[in-house]
Amino acid sequence: MSTALSGPVRPTGGKHRAQMLTLPAVDPPTWWRFSIRLGRDHYVRVDTCDYSVDPAAIGHRGTVLTDSEQVVVLASGGEIVAQQARCWARHQTLTDPEHAGRAGDASGSAPG
């Protein structure tokens, strides 16, 4: 038997209920946010998955916003440089075809 409580629990009769705050009408944002410098490989890691970012953003600071449905990367000016569906599988690399094409153009080789 647990001894976490050191005495009997007494009912309050609801006298503290009036002091409780009401819940807001809108749910608070559930974004997980972090800042990152975008490296040469133009991917950002969220949990164990890597998501591609527009290669034009390489070397710049960005903000990664993620929730249970999507991953969004914003450049320092606020423009969206990546927006992909969130992947819940482990250790995946998700590449937007536009990002792959731009990366191939930038390196002088064909994408793929």
Side-chain angles (χ1 to χ4, degrees):
M1 178 149 182
S2 175
T3 59
L5 296 175
S6 61
V9 178
R10 295 181 301 262
T12 62
K15 66 180 179 182
H16 296 293
R17 188 175 301 270
Q19 296 173 350
M20 295 174 66
L21 298 174
T22 59
L23 293 174
V26 178
D27 289 337
T30 57
W31 290 97
W32 177 36
R33 171 188 294 254
F34 62 94
S35 181
I36 190 169
R37 181 179 270 310
L38 299 167
R40 291 189 322 215
D41 63 354
H42 70 90
Y43 284 85
V44 296
R45 179 162 288 169
V46 176
D47 288 334
T48 63
C49 294
D50 296 326
Y51 297 85
S52 68
V53 178
D54 187 342
I58 291 174
H60 297 278
R61 293 216 50 92
T63 301
V64 180
L65 304 169
T66 184
D67 63 8
S68 61
E69 297 178 12
Q70 64 180 337
V71 174
V72 178
V73 181
L74 304 174
S76 58
E79 70 182 76
I80 296 174
V81 292
Q83 185 170 8
Q84 297 186 35
R86 179 83 182 259
C87 177
W88 289 101
R90 298 181 59 80
H91 305 292
Q92 301 296 306
T93 300
L94 300 120
T95 304
D96 185 319
E98 287 185 22
H99 298 161
R102 290 185 188 140
D105 293 343
S107 67
S109 63

